[in-house]
């Protein structure tokens, strides 16, 4: 690159010098030649006027002598003409033509001067007393002088051009080397060496450019040092995490992974390798695929990343078009949760038999036809029966909850109209309202089809309606309905009781959570109905929530995906 710059600069200098020399030579030659001709004409004019004042037209011999003497003094041919243009005398051997152009001009002009060039001669004529003096000067003398001048001028131009070319080569080489330093600087910067500097003196605009580049490089160096420090801090932070983290680019290739991920899957440390070749878990790949192409956050649970370990997976898109996935090891949590479910299920199952026996024996004693029980004994037996019944309900709910929380719980989906689902549920719950004093009413309905397990949804409606009747009894009625929303149907159970405080709304679906514990125990509630309803709705791919204000009742709402209508 530097050689090309030197060549271009040098050739530019040479071209400028050659053009300037040619213009100078032509200009000087024209000026000198014009000056010589002007001087020759003025000299001949002066000498011709002297001769015109010295001679008289009547003396032919004197004219002859004056012509010879004048020719020797002026180094030019001298010819005397009469006013009529006729030749009176001449120093030339050959006869001069009569009445030439310059003689006519001298006779006719006010200043008595005439001049012309012909046949390589310069003719000057001056009119005097009764005659005209003509001097003829050969132009070859001027040409010889011009030849000498041109030779000397060309020699001077060549010498000056040679020196100028040497100077141009020096300046071009110097400029090329300065540009070469800038090129080397740019190459080092592009290679990541931000310590590079041009280090130019204060000479010209190139120096100003070099100083600006040095300042830019200094700022870049500081910025990249700060960025590298932050990257090291981030890498240390991510390596200290208990979660495994892996980042991929837009093509799904691994760009970075922390030490936890590399311990779990050593192949994740190979940057540039496709994630699908490092991790075979379909849930991880599905989450990353969603983050990459749909630019959405997705969560899941991976069970085949490492043998015997379970991970919660969260994948999110990154601004550069890639994605990052975080794997949180929940193996112990899952194991503890499974142990809890198994324990609850086993304990509930084991309690069913003795509780059934207790209830049966107490009912038998209370139904004794002989009526030999003392009033206090009958009261105690009634308390035992009430608590045994409550424990029976609790064990049933615990078994139901353990079932829906287990990974083996499956729903049998079939298309059912939303209105039919609500009406069938209300019909099955009609007996619940007989002694409650609460009116159970169907509100706005829709015939949109939803994919549901009817038995499971009947349990959801039963739990929600029972909850509404217990806690919203003061409202006198409970509304059950369904309405269409975007790609789903929203079902709701609304009561007009005292409502739920905002501090309880977020925890209302937790196991054993009660807004009013004393009232819940009095009403026989177990605190598990809403938790069971939540898990059943989630198993259908829906969502459930509650909307309530104190004194304005509560509305439990859950959504189920709608089924597109069949093409006819």
């Amino acid at each position: 690159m530097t050689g090309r710059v030197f060549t271009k600069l040098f050739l530019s200098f040479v071209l400028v010098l050659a053009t300037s020399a040619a213009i100078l030579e032509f200009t000087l030659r024209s000026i000198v030649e014009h000056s010589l001709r002007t001087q020759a004409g003025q000299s001949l004019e002066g000498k011709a006027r002297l001769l015109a004042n010295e001679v008289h037209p009547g003396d032919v011999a004197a004219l002859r002598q004056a012509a010879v003497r004048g020719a020797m003094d002026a180094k030019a041919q001298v010819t005397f003409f009469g006013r009529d243009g006729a030749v009176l005398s001449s120093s030339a051997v050959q006869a001069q033509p009569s009445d030439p152009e310059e003689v006519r001009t001298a006779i006719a002009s006010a200043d008595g001067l005439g001049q012309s060039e012909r046949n390589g001669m310069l003719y000057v004529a001056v009119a005097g007393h009764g005659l005209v003096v003509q001097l003829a000067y050969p132009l070859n003398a001027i040409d010889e002088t011009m030849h000498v001048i041109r030779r000397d001028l060309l020699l001077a131009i060549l010498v000056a051009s040679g020196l100028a070319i040497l100077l141009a080569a020096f300046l071009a080489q110097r400029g090329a080397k300065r540009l070469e330093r800038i090129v080397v600087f740019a190459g080092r910067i592009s290679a990541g060496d931000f310590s590079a500097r041009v280090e130019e003196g204060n000479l010209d605009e190139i120096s100003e450019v070099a100083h600006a580049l040095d300042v830019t490089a200094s700022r870049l160096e500081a910025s990249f040092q700060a960025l590298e420090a932050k990257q090291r801090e981030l890498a240390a932070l991510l390596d200290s995490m208990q979660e495994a983290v892996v980042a991929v680019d837009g093509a799904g290739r691994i760009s970075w992974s922390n030490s936890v991920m590399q311990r779990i899957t050593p192949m994740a440390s190979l940057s540039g390798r496709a994630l699908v070749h490092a991790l075979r878990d379909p849930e991880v790949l599905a989450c990353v695929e969603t983050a990459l192409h749909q630019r959405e956050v997705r969560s899941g649970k991976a069970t085949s990343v490492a043998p015997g370990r379970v991970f919660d997976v969260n994948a999110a898109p990154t601004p550069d078009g890639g994605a990052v996935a975080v794997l949180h090891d929940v193996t112990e949590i899952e194991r503890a949760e499974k142990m809890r479910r198994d324990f609850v299920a086993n304990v509930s199952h084991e309690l069913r038999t003795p509780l059934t026996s207790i209830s049966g024996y107490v009912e038998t004693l209370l139904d004794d036809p002989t009526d030999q029980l003392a009033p206090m004994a009958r009261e105690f037996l009634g308390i035992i029966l009430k608590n045994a019944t409550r424990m029976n309900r609790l064990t049933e709910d615990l078994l139901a909850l353990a079932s829906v929380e287990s990974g083996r719980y499956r729903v049998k989906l079939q298309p059912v109209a939303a209105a039919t689902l609500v009406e069938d549920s209300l019909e099955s719950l009609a007996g619940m309202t007989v002694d409650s004093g609460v009116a159970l009413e169907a509100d706005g309905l829709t015939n949109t089809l939803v994919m549901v397990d009817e038995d499971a949804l009947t349990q959801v409606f039963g739990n929600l309606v029972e909850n509404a009747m217990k806690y919203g009894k003061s409202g006198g009625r409970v509304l059950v309905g369904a309405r269409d929303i975007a790609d789903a149907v929203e079902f709701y159970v609304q009561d007009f009781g005292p409502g739920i405080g905002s501090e309880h709304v977020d925890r209302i679906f937790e196991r054993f959570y009660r807004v009013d514990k004393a009232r819940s125990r009095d009403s026989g509630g177990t605190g598990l109905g809403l938790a069971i309803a939540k898990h059943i709705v989630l198993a259908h791919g829906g969502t459930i929530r509650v909307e309530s204000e104190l004194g304005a009742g509560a509305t439990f709402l859950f959504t189920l995906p709608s089924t597109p209508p069949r093409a006819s």
Side-chain angles (χ1 to χ4, degrees), residues 69 237 349 377 468:
R69 185 176 65 253
L237 176 64
H349 183 74

Side-chain angles (χ1 to χ4, degrees), residues 109-306:
S109 64
D111 58 355
L113 178 64
Q115 184 174 325
S116 67
E117 292 183 14
R118 62 180 179 275
N119 301 325
M121 300 292 287
L122 174 61
Y123 294 93
V124 176
V126 176
H129 300 292
L131 54 74
V132 177
V133 180
Q134 178 201 59
L135 271 69
Y137 183 78
L139 292 176
N140 59 355
I142 295 177
D143 293 338
E144 290 175 359
T145 303
M146 288 300 303
H147 178 71
V148 174
I149 292 174
R150 187 183 298 112
R151 182 191 62 194
D152 294 341
L153 181 61
L154 288 176
L155 181 60
I157 289 175
L158 288 176
V159 173
S161 298
L163 294 175
I165 287 173
L166 292 177
L167 180 61
F170 171 74
L171 294 176
Q173 183 66 21
R174 185 180 178 187
K177 286 184 177 179
R178 294 174 69 190
L179 292 176
E180 181 181 8
R181 287 198 296 272
I182 294 177
V183 170
V184 172
F185 162 84
R188 291 176 63 185
I189 291 294
S190 65
D193 182 9
F194 298 105
S195 64
R197 298 293 184 271
V198 182
E199 297 180 351
E200 272 273 340
N202 295 321
L203 300 176
D204 49 24
E205 287 79 2
I206 295 180
S207 300
E208 294 179 3
V209 172
H211 291 322
L213 291 175
D214 285 345
V215 172
T216 303
S218 177
R219 292 179 178 175
L220 281 175
E221 184 178 16
S223 299
F224 273 86
Q225 286 177 351
L227 180 61
E228 288 176 353
K230 290 182 179 179
Q231 286 180 337
R232 288 193 294 270
E233 292 176 2
L234 179 61
L237 176 64
L238 292 175
D239 284 337
S240 65
M241 293 173 57
Q242 294 182 355
E243 290 80 7
V245 183
V246 60
V248 298
D249 58 19
R253 295 186 296 267
I254 297 173
S255 58
W256 187 87
S257 61
N258 69 348
S259 57
V260 180
M261 175 60 76
Q262 294 169 15
R263 285 197 300 270
I264 296 173
T265 307
M267 295 183 68
S269 62
L270 302 176
S271 297
R273 187 181 184 88
L275 181 65
V276 67
H277 296 154
L279 288 173
R280 299 290 184 174
D281 188 273
E283 190 63 28
V284 175
L285 298 178
C287 290
V288 173
E289 189 77 9
T290 300
L292 282 177
H293 296 98
Q294 300 181 19
R295 313 304 295 168
E296 296 177 355
V297 178
R298 177 171 170 177
S299 302
K301 185 165 290 185
T303 57
S304 57
V305 174

Side-chain angles (χ1 to χ4, degrees), residues 76-129:
Q77 297 178 7
V78 178
T79 304
F80 295 101
F81 290 86
R83 285 285 182 172
D84 57 357
V87 178
L88 301 179
S89 179
S90 175
S91 65
V93 178
Q94 296 180 352
Q96 295 296 320
S98 298
D99 197 19
E101 176 185 355
E102 64 276 4
V103 172
R104 292 195 304 271
T105 303
I107 294 172
S109 64
D111 58 355
L113 178 64
Q115 184 174 325
S116 67
E117 292 183 14
R118 62 180 179 275
N119 301 325
M121 300 292 287
L122 174 61
Y123 294 93
V124 176
V126 176
H129 300 292

Side-chain angles (χ1 to χ4, degrees), residues 347-365:
V347 169
S348 301
H349 183 74
E350 292 298 326
L351 288 175
R352 292 175 79 181
T353 300
L355 287 174
T356 302
S357 298
I358 292 173
S359 299
Y361 285 123
V362 170
E363 288 176 353
T364 300
L365 290 174

Side-chain angles (χ1 to χ4, degrees), residues 15 56 66 99 113 150 172 213 286 336 385 405 441 465 483 498 548:
L15 180 61
H56 298 281
D99 197 19
L113 178 64
R150 187 183 298 112
L213 291 175
L385 180 60
E405 285 185 338
E441 304 173 2
V465 170
R483 54 185 171 234
S548 178

Side-chain angles (χ1 to χ4, degrees), residues 301-376:
K301 185 165 290 185
T303 57
S304 57
V305 174
R309 301 176 72 177
V310 182
F311 295 89
D312 276 341
V313 184
N314 290 281
T318 55
D320 60 354
V324 61
V326 179
L327 281 70
H328 179 62
D329 192 346
V330 293
T331 304
E332 295 302 323
I333 298 175
E334 288 290 322
R335 184 179 293 113
E337 188 68 17
K338 183 177 184 301
M339 291 176 62
R340 181 192 64 78
R341 290 195 300 266
D342 292 345
F343 173 77
V344 169
N346 291 334
V347 169
S348 301
H349 183 74
E350 292 298 326
L351 288 175
R352 292 175 79 181
T353 300
L355 287 174
T356 302
S357 298
I358 292 173
S359 299
Y361 285 123
V362 170
E363 288 176 353
T364 300
L365 290 174
L366 290 173
D367 293 339
D368 183 10
T370 61
D371 196 16
Q372 297 179 356
L373 290 176
M376 184 174 293

